[in-house]
Amino acid sequence: MRVGQLARYQKSAGRVRALAGALLLACALPAGALAQQPAAGGAASPSEAVAAAREAVNRKQFDRLPALAARAQGDPLGMYAQYWLLRYQLNADSVPTPTAELERFMRENADAYLADRLRGDWILAAARRGDFATVRRLGEVVAPNDQVRCAQLQARHLGGERASAAQAEAVFAPGNACWALMGQLVADGVLGWDALQRYLRDALENNKLPDARRVAALMFKPDELRAYDALMKDPMKWVAVQSKQAASPAQRELVTVALSRLARKDRETGLAYVRREWAGHLPKSSLQWVYAQHALVGALNLDAGAHELYKLADDVRMSDYNHAWRVRTALRQPRIDWKWVKLSIERMSESQRNEPVWVYWHARGLAAAGRKQEAERQFASIADQFNFYGQLAAEELGRAISVPARPAPLTEAEVAQARAHPGLSRAVALFKLGWRAEAVPEWNYSLRGMNDRQLLAAAEYARQEHIYDRVVNTSERTTAEFDFGQRFIAPFEGKVSEQSRRIALDPAWVYGLIRQESRFITDARSVVGASGLMQLMPATAKYVAQRIGMRDFHPSRVNEFDVNTVLGTHYLNMVLQDLNGSQVLASAGYNAGPRRPHLWRSRLSHPVEGAIFAETIPFTETRLYVKNVMANATYYAALFSGQPQSLKARLGQIAPQRDERTNLP
């Protein structure tokens, strides 16, 4: 069962439900009201005009927007219709930029999310047209995305404030504005061969081939670029006819890239060829990088031999992604070389090695070397974080996992202040319409600058409106006062726990999984089609309904609370039993499909800590998912029982077992 995370399905859910929201409003009109609406506007009241404007945008009926925006004035959400009109006018080549209207909108809605978003839209539109004076004039955006940052840096650079290579690297992300910036900085000599080589290798290392091709176009001459295209198509065919005496840096880099790509075609044959034919003909650093690429592919296939290849790669520069896999591969060895684990983490960039995951494993390396006090200091630096590695670090210090004391109860005045916040109230109105794509950024923007008490009050407002994902996400922002009744909310009046206990499932684990799957959004839908609280795929729902004899099941009912939780908990229990009762393996199977944990476990040569198994899951989404589910479950268990808990005990050990087929979907 392949499910997506909340961040992945919110955007698609907004698109899917956009028309539905408008139609629901239309259905609420009095009989005959639609026929009475003026043809030009398509709506009779301000609220209906807002819904009609959204529908017009989704249907690309932009000619309807001027009349609808005018009719929407006076509605609390009327600014959305005006925003959609201005955004269209900004990006339509056939329409002059409505400068006065844009400035008026931003002035009249200065504190609103849409004013800030419109400023970012205007910056991007001006950058696309080469109007960098306007980009500079528009100033800063409160919540810019990477593209806005790129456009602003390019505008400053062209305005005489020369950009540095470090600034470019800080804002670079694929896309028109950023690629234009990169091309400009290459032309102006800010980015040279060394920087481009890093970009190219990192893109290839992460298998982002379109990005790599665009970097290659900036690095290589036309004939060299043709060679690049040929080697990417068939690296063995290309490299087999190349001279062992590469005459230029570009030629050496092309050979290096070709040898690295052999790992993606036929790793064993390719590696043997590298060692036999090229080991003595490449610069040491190039050969090390080639070994690092073969090591990465081996690591992602859970091949124990990848560890030795990483040792051959030694201290060569790698991307953060490959640095992480070097450590993960070491952790899966029968006898963990903690000195190597520690050294590998120390070779990471400062920002990467300060991530809780690597602080924890570095501290484990220190402890294994007998440096107890240093290890305890590192464990203590993350032990108060409410996450997977924060919990593990706390247990290393001898602390059981417990729930922090609840803060002082919120007053009616505090909650009333949250309800009176214009941005939060607009967001709630959008949520009630089912317009999550608009509601979530409106809500999040409104939280900026809030202190802990205000955040707790906003979370309580969301709870009262049954918008549970905002309860969790808002409460998680507090830094000194922690309300786990919000952070680990358990809605639906115990029905989930009741259904879990009925089939002998741990309710804390089920809640931990739902919190990660859907954040308690009952009608959540992922980009791959999974639905409801427990994110069931249609085929899985049908299969489970047949297995348990649910005679009145129909695919249209999968989002119903009772149907979704009954099917979801039964399926989770099937996966759990199929994987010998391991919550770690079953969590992975629920996310990635029950077949894959069988495969991953079969690649073990010895029993490993549950934490090591979780950290070395090859799929990034599933790896993060499992860690979050298990940490969630530990806190829910502490909340439900009132007793301290152990994440380590919940994780247990994972032992090797031969790969067996499963009949589960």
Side-chain angles (χ1 to χ4, degrees):
M1 174 175 168
R2 183 81 170 171
V3 297
Q5 301 301 317
L6 183 62
R8 293 174 56 200
Y9 60 64
Q10 283 177 340
K11 184 175 180 181
S12 64
R15 289 196 300 265
V16 169
R17 297 169 59 189
L19 180 57
L23 290 177
L24 285 172
L25 284 181
C27 292
L29 295 175
L34 287 175
Q36 298 168 7
Q37 292 173 10
S45 72
S47 61
E48 294 156 5
V50 175
R54 190 173 188 268
E55 181 183 359
V57 171
N58 290 334
R59 293 186 174 186
K60 301 189 181 339
Q61 298 170 342
F62 300 114
D63 59 322
R64 298 177 59 203
L65 289 177
L68 290 169
R71 290 182 180 278
Q73 291 182 21
D75 187 82
L77 299 179
M79 68 167 66
Y80 274 84
Q82 184 66 23
Y83 166 75
W84 292 324
L85 171 61
L86 291 171
R87 184 182 63 184
Y88 163 69
Q89 293 173 334
L90 258 178
N91 292 290
D93 293 335
S94 59
V95 179
T97 301
T99 302
E101 290 81 359
L102 291 165
E103 290 177 342
R104 184 184 307 113
F105 184 93
M106 292 191 299
R107 183 173 61 253
E108 292 176 353
N109 304 287
D111 295 329
Y113 160 68
L114 285 183
D116 189 63
R117 180 167 177 177
L118 186 64
R119 188 182 302 275
D121 293 336
W122 194 354
I123 284 171
L124 292 179
R128 282 193 297 272
R129 292 168 179 162
D131 182 6
F132 291 102
T134 293
V135 175
R136 291 189 293 272
R137 180 177 65 81
L138 286 171
E140 294 304 313
V141 176
V142 174
N145 58 29
D146 288 335
Q147 294 300 297
V148 170
R149 293 188 184 96
C150 285
Q152 290 173 320
L153 181 58
Q154 187 174 5
R156 290 195 295 269
H157 177 77
L158 292 174
E161 188 180 334
R162 190 173 176 83
S164 68
Q167 287 175 313
E169 188 167 349
V171 303
F172 178 72
N176 291 335
C178 286
W179 287 115
L181 170 62
M182 178 174 277
Q184 185 71 54
L185 296 182
V186 170
D188 292 346
V190 175
L191 294 177
W193 174 268
D194 289 346
L196 291 173
Q197 184 187 59
R198 290 197 306 273
Y199 284 130
L200 177 68
R201 289 187 174 189
D202 286 357
L204 290 169
E205 201 157 83
N206 288 275
N207 212 31
K208 295 180 178 178
L209 302 189
D211 294 354
R213 176 59 172 75
R214 297 191 75 161
V215 176
L218 295 171
M219 288 179 68
F220 299 125
K221 298 174 183 177
D223 58 330
E224 295 165 346
L225 187 59
R226 286 191 291 272
Y228 174 86
D229 290 336
L231 73 86
M232 291 298 291
K233 183 177 180 180
D234 191 336
M236 181 63 82
K237 179 179 179 180
W238 183 87
V239 77
V241 297
Q242 300 305 307
S243 168
K244 298 293 196 300
Q245 305 300 322
S248 68
Q251 184 65 19
R252 287 194 294 273
E253 187 64 16
L254 289 169
V255 169
T256 300
V257 169
L259 295 175
S260 77
R261 297 306 294 177
L262 294 176
R264 308 273 177 170
K265 300 291 185 179
D266 183 341
R267 187 161 43 93
E268 291 187 9
T269 301
L271 183 59
Y273 176 77
V274 170
R275 286 171 159 164
R276 183 179 69 249
E277 299 291 338
W278 287 92
H281 300 281
L282 282 179
K284 180 181 177 182
S285 62
S286 295
L287 185 62
Q288 287 175 322
W289 188 75
V290 170
Y291 285 142
Q293 305 320 295
H294 286 263
L296 175 60
V297 175
L300 293 173
N301 285 279
L302 303 179
D303 183 346
H307 181 57
E308 293 305 318
L309 288 175
Y310 276 124
K311 289 201 167 185
L312 290 175
D314 197 22
D315 61 350
V316 71
R317 184 199 171 276
M318 298 185 294
S319 67
D320 287 354
Y321 183 65
N322 209 357
H323 271 296
W325 276 106
R326 175 159 60 183
V327 178
R328 292 181 184 124
T329 301
L331 293 173
R332 287 178 67 95
Q333 298 306 300
R335 296 185 62 180
I336 299 175
D337 183 346
W338 286 106
K339 183 178 179 181
W340 174 257
V341 169
K342 176 178 161 297
L343 176 62
S344 296
I345 294 171
E346 289 168 356
R347 286 173 173 170
M348 292 176 170
S349 65
E350 182 179 3
S351 60
Q352 186 181 17
R353 66 175 177 264
N354 286 333
E355 294 171 9
V357 50
W358 308 122
V359 171
Y360 174 81
W361 291 113
H362 187 263
R364 289 282 301 271
L366 289 170
R371 296 161 64 177
K372 182 179 179 181
Q373 289 185 336
E374 292 175 74
E376 288 182 347
R377 281 197 296 271
Q378 290 203 0
F379 287 133
S381 73
I382 61 171
D384 292 330
Q385 297 181 21
F386 304 126
N387 55 41
F388 185 82
Y389 281 108
Q391 291 182 4
L392 288 177
E395 291 198 65
E396 292 290 341
L397 295 171
R399 307 179 198 167
I401 309 304
S402 59
V403 174
R406 295 190 70 169
L410 292 163
T411 65
E412 291 184 8
E414 286 175 313
V415 179
Q417 185 181 34
R419 283 187 166 276
H421 190 288
L424 295 181
S425 61
R426 273 194 302 273
V428 168
L430 291 164
F431 278 119
K432 288 182 177 179
L433 288 170
W435 297 359
R436 294 191 61 84
E438 291 83 7
V440 169
E442 179 83 59
W443 180 276
N444 290 345
Y445 185 85
S446 300
L447 301 178
R448 72 194 194 287
M450 288 189 179
N451 61 33
D452 280 3
R453 297 298 295 181
Q454 291 169 322
L455 289 168
L456 294 173
E460 177 58 27
Y461 177 22
R463 184 209 299 269
Q464 292 175 3
E465 297 293 341
H466 309 292
I467 309 170
Y468 298 122
D469 65 310
R470 292 306 98 191
V471 178
V472 173
N473 290 25
T474 303
S475 193
E476 281 188 330
R477 293 175 179 242
T478 61
T479 58
E481 295 190 52
F482 311 111
D483 187 343
F484 269 42
Q486 292 180 344
R487 290 190 179 210
F488 293 89
I489 191 171
F492 311 116
E493 301 173 348
K495 292 182 180 179
V496 173
S497 295
E498 179 184 347
Q499 171 58 27
S500 301
R501 293 191 182 97
R502 190 175 294 133
I503 57 174
L505 271 184
D506 175 8
W509 180 44
V510 176
Y511 264 106
L513 184 140
I514 294 174
R515 184 182 188 269
Q516 186 62 23
E517 284 284 357
S518 65
R519 282 290 200 266
F520 306 104
I521 305 169
T522 56
D523 57 353
R525 187 172 178 83
S526 80
V527 294
V528 295
S531 296
L533 279 179
M534 298 192 70
Q535 288 291 278
L536 288 168
M537 294 293 287
T540 303
K542 181 179 179 181
Y543 169 84
V544 177
Q546 291 173 342
R547 280 279 302 267
I548 67 174
M550 183 182 284
R551 296 180 180 178
D552 59 347
F553 173 76
H554 187 274
S556 63
R557 299 188 63 201
V558 73
N559 277 351
E560 293 179 19
F561 172 83
D562 288 332
V563 171
N564 194 273
T565 51
V566 167
L567 294 178
T569 51
H570 272 90
Y571 180 65
L572 183 59
N573 194 41
M574 293 174 191
V575 176
L576 182 67
Q577 300 310 315
D578 185 55
L579 289 161
N580 308 113
S582 166
Q583 289 185 2
V584 172
L585 293 172
S587 298
Y590 197 88
N591 179 263
R595 171 82 179 85
R596 289 193 173 97
H598 284 288
L599 173 64
W600 297 334
R601 180 174 58 181
S602 74
R603 299 289 174 85
L604 292 169
S605 62
H606 61 289
V608 299
E609 300 173 26
I612 289 177
F613 185 89
E615 186 54 51
T616 58
I617 290 172
F619 293 175
T620 299
E621 178 189 313
T622 304
R623 182 170 61 254
L624 297 174
Y625 176 93
V626 169
K627 290 190 288 186
N628 286 332
V629 167
M630 299 305 291
N632 292 347
T634 304
Y635 279 131
Y636 275 116
L639 278 167
F640 293 165
S641 69
Q643 300 298 316
Q645 300 292 311
S646 168
L647 174 60
K648 284 191 171 186
R650 185 174 289 271
L651 294 171
Q653 277 202 330
I654 308 297
Q657 185 170 321
R658 68 185 181 88
D659 184 12
E660 295 179 346
R661 292 284 173 179
T662 176
N663 293 321
L664 296 177

